[in-house]
Amino acid sequence: MSSILKSRADKVVEGGAGFQGGEERGKVYWISDLRIWYMYRFIEGSRHWNGFGTDEPEDGENRTIICEINSPPEGINRRIGGAFARDPLGNYYLVHRGKLGGNYSKKLFTEKYRGEWTEVIDGNQTSEVVVIGKIDESIPEKIRDFVYEVKRMKEDSSNLRDMILKVLQEYSNARNESFTGHPLANLIRREIPRELERITGDERYLVRGSAGQGNWATIPWIAVMDPQITDTTRKGYYIVYLFREDMEGLYLSLHQGVTDISKEYGEKRANKTLRAMAEEFRGQINQKGLLEEISLGKGGLAPLYEAGNIYAKYYPASALPSEEEIEGDLKLFLKLYDSLKNIEKAPRGKGISLEVSFYDYLTSHGFYFKPELVENFLLALKVKNFVILTGNSGTGKTRLAQLYGRYLSEGEKRYLVVPVGANWTEKRHIFGYLNIMTGEYQSTPTLDFIMKASEDPENPYIIILDEMNLSHVERYFSDFLSAIESGEPVPLHNSECDFPESVEIPRNLLVVGTVNVDETTYMFSPKVLDRANTIEFETTAPQEYLRGWEHESPEGDLKFLEDPLNHHEPQIEKIRSDLEGVWDSLVSELQFFHNTLQEPGFEFGFRVTEEVLRFMHAAWIYKGRPKPWRGWERYMDAQIKQKILPKIHGPERLLKGTLEDLRDHCSRKYPASERKLNEMIETLKTQRYVSFIR
């Protein structure tokens, strides 16, 4: 084999091959057409040493070795990675046992190697090996393939220290680049958590990383949580790697959740509360040699994160310890973390609310929805108590509404799923009717539920109209819509019977309609679409769904967002004052869409304008009342898609130019609306007719 490799070389230099713990010096053979170099040395009484690399060698210089394919001088030695095998026909093969040496275990090789394994008779036993290739003139190509496969495996298996160093070195520059799809964000969210899962070796731990949501975070983090203690970084306590704002280093911290406490108390009081709680924890687990104070920076939540620290260890970027020390520190902190679980009564802080958010409730029940969709859903219900969820069957529309009902119920069922029938032609299917034969009023489960909500105004109730467009919505639901708008009661009868003559739609009643998209359903009229936010559920690819837990949770004033009884109905002047920094932009955007839709006859009135502005104001409060408000476009994008585009429908001759003008306006600024308009344009080209819902 050695002679075959040397004969293929077209460059030979005196150089060296560096590897963990030393180097080999001698002749280096470069095979330029295969882009590999080769070194050979016989180590007396030990092995035939064969080293390979991929960087072109230069005279007198060292090159990093990629892998060794060594073999014993004679017989069988299973401690050596390479070996020769013979088949029944007398052909010889070069094989490998998967032992790479250094920091690369055979387990890693087994998990990451993409080729086939073969079972061979290995002395007095059988073993599985990788067959690199038959010993003939083609063996250099087979070795080349193996070397590059090992290189790929090593590059894909950077250790925790390397990953941390990469973040420290590159994060500051990455913040000047686009966040979406950035490899460094992927490293923090997925690759480092996977490495931590490997190090802990315990499936009970949840590992989550965050580089931000939509924009780069000031302080990226990776947390390790025990679900028996907490499953979210917003509350409880956990282990977390916190990077300094200036990327001069990072902390490994036994830490407290700060978000819920901050929302409850406000930042200043929360800071004092967290520090007091940290002192209580330290009284339970007195650990010398660790930091009680950390310094992260001045931006964002840095002061609260500093207050949340219980114990920490600092790693300066200029002097990161070895991988072994980093792993050892993590295992120490895991022991400290476990000891907290055994404390009979861990301090929580007097009066602190530790309620589970709706998003956490969804994920804890095994359902994944994009955080933006959940935000849009809850914001829409704050602005108006009627929301339409549309999309293909199986996208989770009914499930989301039903889980929200369960979340609001708090033990007592306060939600009702109403399957709409294909024969619903009048309001009696919702509100019942007077039986003229008996003189008694025939109620319905829906009407009974409405009356129950009226009697319990302190709690929210939700009706879910499932597949509400199986019948013409206007025929069975128009009285309900009018009552929502006007506040007037719905008349039930004018006869002398014991049943009430009318019923009011209570303000604590929410209505969510689900709409499946197929040929058996009916279009919605402008009257219906004007009175609701229409939220489209996109089909989620299996890979994205199964990785749903890797997405960021909604971040903002969740207490405000998730309170459906806190109706958000500010006056226009209040909105103008609060949103002063973006007011002119909002007015300009609304005017553009009104003007563009005027020619085909889809311009909107004051109701849509007011509800869009109320939605934006609610989003502003949810995001912490920022001034200036950066990122407002994300919520305007939602309103374009939910309140303006749903009304559009018609033939190509009417809409072609309009849709393209809208798409060009949304390009790069309103991505969700742009995608929807592109979809509608394609449908118009192929079918000559298009509507938002189908």
Side-chain angles (χ1 to χ4, degrees):
M1 183 185 78
S2 181
S3 61
I4 296 174
L5 288 166
K6 290 177 181 179
S7 68
R8 284 288 298 271
D10 48 14
K11 178 180 179 180
V12 182
V13 301
E14 291 291 332
F19 53 88
Q20 184 176 3
E23 66 175 13
E24 291 288 349
R25 303 291 301 179
K27 292 187 182 299
V28 185
Y29 295 83
W30 174 245
I31 307 174
S32 61
D33 61 327
L34 301 182
R35 304 297 299 175
I36 61 171
W37 57 255
Y38 167 62
M39 282 189 71
Y40 169 78
R41 179 185 166 205
F42 177 67
I43 301 175
E44 187 72 32
S46 176
R47 63 191 182 278
H48 294 279
W49 182 86
N50 297 281
F52 297 88
T54 58
D55 296 325
E56 183 174 354
E58 299 296 337
D59 198 49
E61 295 185 0
N62 268 13
R63 286 293 181 263
T64 300
I65 193 169
I66 297 299
C67 74
E68 301 173 13
I69 308 177
N70 304 327
S71 59
E74 59 183 3
I76 295 173
N77 187 340
R78 300 186 184 94
R79 293 175 295 176
I80 297 176
F84 295 99
R86 185 179 64 185
D87 68 16
L89 299 178
N91 299 307
Y92 285 87
Y93 297 83
L94 179 63
V95 302
H96 203 278
R97 300 179 185 275
K99 296 182 177 182
L100 297 177
N103 290 327
Y104 303 98
S105 66
K106 184 174 181 180
K107 181 176 183 293
L108 179 142
F109 187 99
T110 303
E111 291 175 347
K112 292 186 175 291
Y113 182 69
R114 295 185 297 195
E116 295 184 0
W117 292 77
T118 300
E119 191 174 82
V120 298
I121 299 172
D122 191 11
N124 59 355
Q125 67 180 52
T126 59
S127 300
E128 283 201 332
V129 298
V130 170
V131 178
I132 296 175
K134 183 179 177 182
I135 306 297
D136 59 20
E137 294 303 315
S138 69
I139 192 63
E141 280 78 10
K142 302 298 176 55
I143 290 174
R144 181 268 318 274
D145 294 343
F146 182 79
V147 170
Y148 273 90
E149 174 66 2
V150 172
K151 182 179 181 181
R152 180 196 65 80
M153 288 189 287
K154 286 187 173 182
E155 289 176 347
D156 286 350
S157 59
S158 299
N159 59 33
L160 181 59
R161 183 188 186 277
D162 294 338
M163 294 176 180
I164 287 172
L165 186 61
K166 185 177 180 68
V167 176
L168 291 168
Q169 292 174 340
E170 299 180 13
Y171 194 83
S172 295
N173 289 332
R175 292 184 65 178
N176 298 318
E177 300 167 3
S178 174
F179 177 84
T180 304
H182 198 287
L184 200 65
N186 183 64
L187 176 69
I188 294 168
R189 287 174 168 178
R190 298 181 182 177
E191 295 178 29
I192 295 180
R194 279 199 290 262
E195 180 65 6
L196 290 173
E197 288 173 349
R198 183 193 67 78
I199 293 171
T200 64
D202 193 332
E203 294 181 356
R204 66 180 161 141
Y205 292 117
L206 296 174
V207 186
R208 303 286 185 269
S210 174
Q213 183 180 357
N215 295 295
W216 292 101
T218 304
I219 298 170
W221 52 262
I222 305 100
V224 180
M225 297 168 282
D226 184 339
Q228 293 184 22
I229 299 172
T230 186
D231 59 1
T232 172
T233 57
R234 289 193 289 272
K235 64 182 182 182
Y237 44 96
Y238 46 87
I239 297 169
V240 64
Y241 288 90
L242 292 167
F243 291 81
R244 283 176 52 100
E245 182 180 353
D246 58 11
M247 291 295 139
E248 292 293 322
L250 80 159
Y251 294 90
L252 173 61
S253 172
L254 182 60
H255 206 265
Q256 304 169 81
V258 305
T259 308
D260 283 4
I261 294 176
S262 177
K263 294 293 187 297
E264 184 75 14
Y265 285 102
E267 185 171 339
K268 187 174 182 180
R269 188 178 168 199
N271 193 297
K272 293 181 179 179
T273 302
L274 287 165
R275 291 185 181 279
M277 292 169 63
E279 285 295 330
E280 291 186 57
F281 279 116
R282 294 182 198 120
Q284 300 286 346
I285 48 168
N286 186 16
Q287 185 71 29
K288 295 181 180 179
L290 296 176
L291 300 172
E292 297 181 3
E293 295 287 337
I294 63 177
S295 176
L296 296 168
K298 297 180 180 179
L301 294 174
L304 281 177
Y305 285 151
E306 292 170 357
N309 175 63
I310 301 171
Y311 284 117
K313 181 169 183 180
Y314 182 60
Y315 301 126
S318 59
L320 278 182
S322 67
E323 173 74 4
E324 182 179 2
E325 183 177 341
I326 291 174
E327 289 192 19
D329 290 340
L330 176 59
K331 291 172 182 176
L332 167 64
F333 273 68
L334 287 170
K335 290 181 180 179
L336 295 177
Y337 188 33
D338 281 344
S339 70
L340 285 179
K341 189 168 61 175
N342 297 325
I343 296 174
E344 190 169 310
K345 187 178 180 182
R348 295 286 190 179
K350 187 176 180 181
I352 294 173
S353 171
L354 296 171
E355 295 178 356
V356 176
S357 73
F358 177 48
Y359 191 83
D360 289 337
Y361 182 84
L362 289 172
T363 56
S364 69
H365 285 74
F367 293 95
Y368 159 64
F369 297 94
K370 290 184 178 179
E372 295 85 354
L373 185 145
V374 177
E375 285 181 348
N376 293 345
F377 174 66
L378 297 176
L379 284 168
L381 284 172
K382 290 197 72 65
V383 173
K384 193 70 167 287
N385 58 345
F386 176 37
V387 172
I388 295 172
L389 309 181
T390 181
N392 291 326
S393 178
T395 50
K397 303 178 298 297
T398 303
R399 180 61 68 182
L400 176 66
Q402 189 176 28
L403 286 169
Y404 188 52
R406 291 180 184 173
Y407 177 74
L408 296 176
S409 292
E410 298 178 353
E412 179 186 356
K413 186 177 179 182
R414 292 200 290 266
Y415 69 94
L416 178 68
V417 179
V418 182
V420 173
N423 62 338
W424 285 22
T425 57
E426 53 184 318
K427 73 173 187 179
R428 66 191 293 174
H429 300 286
I430 295 287
F431 293 107
Y433 64 96
L434 179 68
N435 188 326
I436 59 174
M437 300 296 293
T438 64
E440 295 181 353
Y441 197 84
Q442 303 294 315
S443 187
T444 67
T446 306
L447 179 57
D448 293 342
F449 189 79
I450 293 170
M451 298 177 74
K452 179 183 178 183
S454 298
E455 296 167 358
D456 186 17
E458 299 301 316
N459 287 305
Y461 287 72
I462 181 169
I463 290 176
I464 303 162
L465 292 173
D466 198 26
E467 298 193 52
M468 68 178 301
N469 62 332
L470 277 178
S471 291
H472 287 287
V473 177
E474 299 78 10
R475 295 180 181 174
Y476 69 86
F477 203 55
S478 59
D479 284 32
F480 200 110
L481 288 173
S482 296
I484 290 176
E485 202 69 30
S486 67
E488 295 294 323
V490 177
L492 300 177
H493 66 88
N494 57 3
S495 177
E496 294 183 3
C497 75
D498 295 335
F499 205 84
E501 293 183 2
S502 62
V503 62
E504 291 186 359
I505 305 301
R507 289 175 60 80
N508 62 324
L509 181 66
L510 312 173
V511 180
V512 178
T514 70
V515 177
N516 282 335
V517 181
D518 58 47
E519 299 302 320
T520 67
T521 55
Y522 294 93
M523 289 279 292
F524 283 142
S525 71
K527 176 181 180 179
V528 177
L529 295 172
D530 267 359
R531 288 163 171 78
N533 269 269
T534 302
I535 301 176
E536 183 179 45
F537 282 55
E538 298 175 355
T539 301
T540 303
Q543 185 178 43
E544 184 178 1
Y545 177 80
L546 294 173
R547 291 179 176 176
W549 58 266
E550 297 173 345
H551 288 254
E552 300 291 324
S553 301
E555 292 185 357
D557 187 347
L558 295 176
K559 186 175 181 180
F560 167 80
L561 182 68
E562 296 178 356
D563 182 3
L565 298 185
N566 181 11
H567 300 288
H568 193 68
E569 299 172 342
Q571 297 298 315
I572 292 296
E573 288 306 313
K574 172 66 173 172
I575 299 174
R576 184 201 299 267
S577 173
D578 286 344
L579 302 186
E580 179 182 8
V582 298
W583 177 260
D584 290 342
S585 297
L586 293 176
V587 172
S588 175
E589 292 296 326
L590 288 167
Q591 189 63 46
F592 167 81
F593 283 97
H594 182 275
N595 292 345
T596 306
L597 292 172
Q598 195 167 25
E599 182 177 347
F602 297 112
E603 69 270 26
F604 46 87
F606 68 87
R607 180 188 293 108
V608 170
T609 297
E610 287 189 358
E611 291 184 4
V612 168
L613 293 174
R614 284 165 51 195
F615 184 99
M616 296 299 293
H617 191 258
W620 174 73
I621 294 175
Y622 163 62
K623 296 305 290 183
R625 305 172 188 262
K627 288 190 177 182
W629 186 13
R630 298 184 178 90
W632 63 270
E633 294 90 347
R634 171 258 180 277
Y635 297 98
M636 187 64 195
D637 189 10
Q639 282 301 274
I640 294 168
K641 188 176 178 185
Q642 293 170 196
K643 289 293 292 183
I644 296 174
L645 300 186
K647 294 177 60 177
I648 300 175
H649 66 277
E652 185 177 28
R653 59 179 172 77
L654 180 68
L655 293 176
K656 181 180 179 182
T658 300
L659 293 182
E660 290 172 350
D661 289 346
L662 295 175
R663 187 269 315 279
D664 293 344
H665 181 78
C666 292
S667 177
R668 295 184 298 278
K669 188 175 183 181
Y670 303 122
S673 300
E674 181 186 3
R675 286 195 301 272
K676 183 61 181 180
L677 285 162
N678 276 324
E679 175 191 313
M680 294 175 72
I681 289 169
E682 288 302 311
T683 301
L684 198 64
K685 289 178 181 178
T686 58
Q687 300 183 16
R688 304 291 187 253
Y689 185 94
V690 71
S691 67
F692 179 90
I693 292 181
R694 69 172 189 215

